[in-house]
Every structure is written in C-alpha cells, then in structure tokens.
C-alpha cells in the first residue's frame, strides 16, 4: 500500500539477547503407566513409588521392600552362596550358565530371591523377598531351595514366615526341576501349618505362573498390593482354552479380593503396619489356643 512503511524485525539490530536451552536431567520426571500423569521423581520416591493421582504402585527393588517392612538395620541375610546348575544343558539364545552369570552381574544377586532374619515392630520374623529384576523373578531350583530353607528356619525358631512374591513363574531353563519346586515349597509350608507357625504371603505386581500355584497362594493370610497382576496363565491363553470372554480386571488384586482369593489389599505405605497387626493377632491366637490345650490336658473333664 502507498505510504505504508514496513519495518522488518532484525534480531541483530534490535540486539535481542538469546540464552542457551537448559538441558533437563534424565530421570527428573516419571510417567505413570495407569493415568499417564507426569510425576516429579523425587516426590514419587518419597511416596514409596505410589502415584499421587491414581494410586498406581510402581515396581520397586528388593532392597526397598526390605526397608519398608523391616525395623531399621535389623535384616540379616541367610542362605547365601547358592547358584543354579545346568542339569539339562539348556541353551536358547545363550547358554543357561552364561545367562545366570549375566543376571548376577546386572543385579548383584545370586538368584531371584533373598532370604533373611529381621524384626518387624520388634517382633522376630523370617523374611523372603523375590527379585523380579533377576530373570523376571522366575522360580528355579535355587529359589525353591531358599524358600524351603526359610520355612525351615521359621519352623526351628518358631518365628513367623513372610514371603514377598514377584515372579513370572517357573524358570523354563530348568524345566521339570523348576516345577518340582512347587511341591517342595508346598510340603515345607505344610509343616509350618502343622506346627502352628504363622505364614503371611504378600503378592505384588506381578505374581504369576508356578509361584502363584504354590507358595504364594498358601499363606495363612494373603495380602496383595493394589492393582497387582496375580494369576497362573495369561489372559489370552485362558480365553483360548475356555473359549469365553473374561471379566475385566479378573487377574487384579481387587477382583481376587472380591472373589475370596486374597484376604486384604494394603497400599505400600500401610503394608508394614498391616503385617504387624496381623502377626500380633495370629501369634496371640496361637498362644491362647495352646494354653487352652494345656489346661484341658491338665484338668480332665468331669462327666
């Protein structure tokens, strides 16, 4: 247009100052898998890795479960030095011994479970915590042996046994040897039942396969974390087998609680208090029952 003067923006002439883009450190933010909320990682850690918006429980390490459950500094590891053999000479993409060494270096663990003695609210207990970062928490001969030994420790010392399960099931590289651990651990736990030694099973996300079908489901009290995936076979396999549509969320903690497969659901922040309360009740009940049995023996009934 006539008489219109156009003045183009010129960064150099106007002396506009520029600043370099600041890099955002890795791991500063974490996205929730359930609600997609972007969470400040440090705050998420303070909340024990539980989403403040939807309550989703992120997976945490074995050491963090020990810290949550045990009195500070009370955990003492037991049954170390056990490593998997290779009775089947199994090889997939790698030889089984090579895979075992690889996961050992990666996780710093000898296998997919750690056992030990500890105290929970000043009560002595035997604790076993599975490690999902070691081959998906799969149960091989070492896992079965260490769970069985932990049960033996609880039996000898007359201390409650607590097992925190996180597993993809039996370890395929050990085939029948891994499946035998189901019977082995179940047999040892039956001895705890006979001796009236409390056993609490804690199911976290995920607990599946042969672990679910054995010691994870045999607790006197079964506690699950919210929204934990719990089941034997995958949903697709079950659907193909029975030829029917499955209820929504049928392998989650809430569905299993509704149908009597677990006894309670406890958020991570209340897990220690819940375990302590259950132990108080169970141990007092056992003592009272034993006392009644002693009184009945000493004082025969009058006919």
């Amino acid at each position: 247009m006539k008489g219109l003067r156009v003045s183009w923006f010129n960064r150099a002439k106007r002396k506009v100052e520029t600043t370099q883009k600041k890099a955002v450190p890795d791991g500063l933010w974490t996205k929730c898998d359930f609600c997609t909320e972007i969470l400040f990682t440090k705050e998420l850690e303070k909340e024990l890795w539980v989403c403040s918006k939807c309550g989703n429980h992120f997976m945490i390490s074995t050491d963090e479960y020990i810290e949550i459950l045990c009195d500070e500094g009370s955990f003492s590891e037991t049954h170390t030095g056990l490593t998997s053999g290779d009775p089947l000479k199994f090889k997939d993409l790698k030889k089984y011994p090579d895979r075992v060494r690889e996961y050992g270096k990666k996780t710093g663990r000898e296998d997919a479970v750690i056992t030990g003695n500890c105290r929970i609210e000043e009560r002595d207990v035997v604790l076993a915590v599975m490690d999902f970062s070691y081959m998906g928490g799969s149960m091989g001969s070492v896992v079965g042996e260490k769970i069985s030994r932990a049960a033996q420790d609880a039996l000898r010392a007359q201390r409650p046994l607590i097992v925190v399960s996180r597993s993809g099931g039996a370890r395929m590289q050990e085939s029948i040897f891994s499946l035998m651990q189901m019977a082995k651990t179940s047999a040892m736990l039956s001895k705890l039942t006979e001796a009236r030694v409390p056993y609490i099973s804690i199911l976290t996300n995920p607990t599946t396969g042969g672990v679910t079908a054995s010691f994870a489901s045999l607790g006197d009290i079964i506690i699950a974390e919210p929204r934990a995936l719990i089941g034997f076979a995958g949903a697709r396999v079950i659907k193909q087998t029975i030829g029917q549509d499955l209820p929504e969320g049928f392998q989650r903690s809430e569905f299993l609680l509704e149908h009597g497969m677990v006894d309670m659901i406890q958020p991570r922040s209340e897990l220690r208090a819940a375990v302590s309360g259950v132990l108080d009740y169970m141990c007092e009940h056992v003592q009272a029952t034993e006392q009644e049995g002693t009184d009945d023996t000493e004082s025969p009934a009058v006919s």
Side-chain angles (χ1 to χ4, degrees), residues 50 78-79 113 123 126 154-155 159 162 173 182 193 195 262 265 275-276:
V50 177
T78 57
H79 307 303
V113 69
R123 184 185 297 279
V126 178
L155 183 61
R159 294 179 179 179
I162 300 171
Q173 288 89 347
M182 298 170 63
T193 302
V262 302
I265 295 175
V275 169
S276 178

Side-chain angles (χ1 to χ4, degrees), residues 24-284:
V24 178
D26 292 336
L28 186 63
W29 301 94
T30 302
K31 183 178 180 180
C32 177
D33 295 330
F34 271 86
C35 67
T36 69
E37 182 78 359
I38 304 300
L39 305 164
F40 188 39
T41 302
K42 287 187 177 180
E43 291 297 322
L44 186 60
E45 187 174 0
K46 290 179 181 178
E47 296 297 326
L48 304 180
W49 295 93
V50 177
C51 177
S52 57
K53 183 177 181 180
C54 71
N56 174 40
H57 282 51
F58 289 75
M59 291 184 69
I60 60 175
S61 69
T62 298
D63 290 333
E64 286 172 310
Y65 272 113
I66 291 173
E67 184 178 347
I68 289 170
L69 287 169
C70 303
D71 293 354
E72 186 176 357
S74 68
F75 182 81
S76 176
E77 187 176 358
T78 57
H79 307 303
T80 59
L82 299 178
T83 55
S84 296
D86 187 21
L88 304 178
K89 306 301 178 185
F90 190 95
K91 181 180 180 181
D92 44 60
L93 297 178
K94 297 180 180 179
K95 293 181 179 179
Y96 182 42
D98 294 340
R99 197 174 290 278
V100 168
R101 283 191 292 270
E102 176 187 331
Y103 276 95
K105 292 179 181 179
K106 178 182 177 181
T107 64
R109 303 284 182 205
E110 294 173 341
D111 214 282
V113 69
I114 181 172
T115 59
N117 298 311
C118 69
R119 295 176 69 84
I120 297 179
E121 300 294 348
E122 300 301 320
R123 184 185 297 279
D124 291 322
V125 302
V126 178
L127 177 67
V129 184
M130 300 194 72
D131 192 339
F132 194 79
S133 65
Y134 191 105
M135 296 185 73
S138 54
M139 178 176 63
S141 54
V142 171
V143 170
E145 178 66 17
K146 294 185 76 169
I147 295 291
S148 298
R149 290 191 184 188
Q152 286 179 326
D153 293 342
L155 183 61
R156 292 193 187 105
Q158 294 291 293
R159 294 179 179 179
L161 172 66
I162 300 171
V163 177
V164 181
S165 295
R166 291 181 297 167
S167 177
R171 188 172 299 175
M172 69 174 187
Q173 288 89 347
E174 295 188 27
S175 187
I176 189 64
F177 292 95
S178 64
L179 296 178
M180 289 169 63
Q181 308 311 309
M182 298 170 63
K184 180 178 180 177
T185 54
S186 298
M188 277 306 308
L189 292 173
S190 69
K191 294 184 178 181
L192 291 185
T193 302
E194 293 171 2
R196 304 180 68 80
V197 176
Y199 166 42
I200 297 177
S201 178
I202 301 175
L203 311 183
T204 67
N205 183 47
T207 301
T208 60
V211 169
T212 305
S214 56
F215 61 84
S217 297
L218 295 177
D220 298 312
I221 296 294
I222 301 176
I223 303 174
E225 285 190 337
R227 295 178 179 170
L229 175 64
I230 304 166
F232 179 64
R236 183 178 61 181
V237 173
I238 296 174
K239 183 176 180 179
Q240 291 174 347
T241 301
I242 66 176
Q244 297 180 13
D245 292 331
L246 302 169
E248 184 177 354
F250 81 106
Q251 288 183 320
R252 295 290 173 178
S253 304
E254 292 72 15
F255 186 91
L256 298 180
L257 177 65
E258 183 180 346
H259 291 79
M261 298 299 292
V262 302
D263 297 299
M264 64 177 72
I265 295 175
Q266 289 293 333
R268 199 170 285 158
S269 59
E270 301 174 14
L271 186 58
R272 182 178 175 184
V275 169
S276 178
V278 168
L279 288 177
D280 287 343
Y281 174 80
M282 294 180 71
C283 292
E284 290 175 7

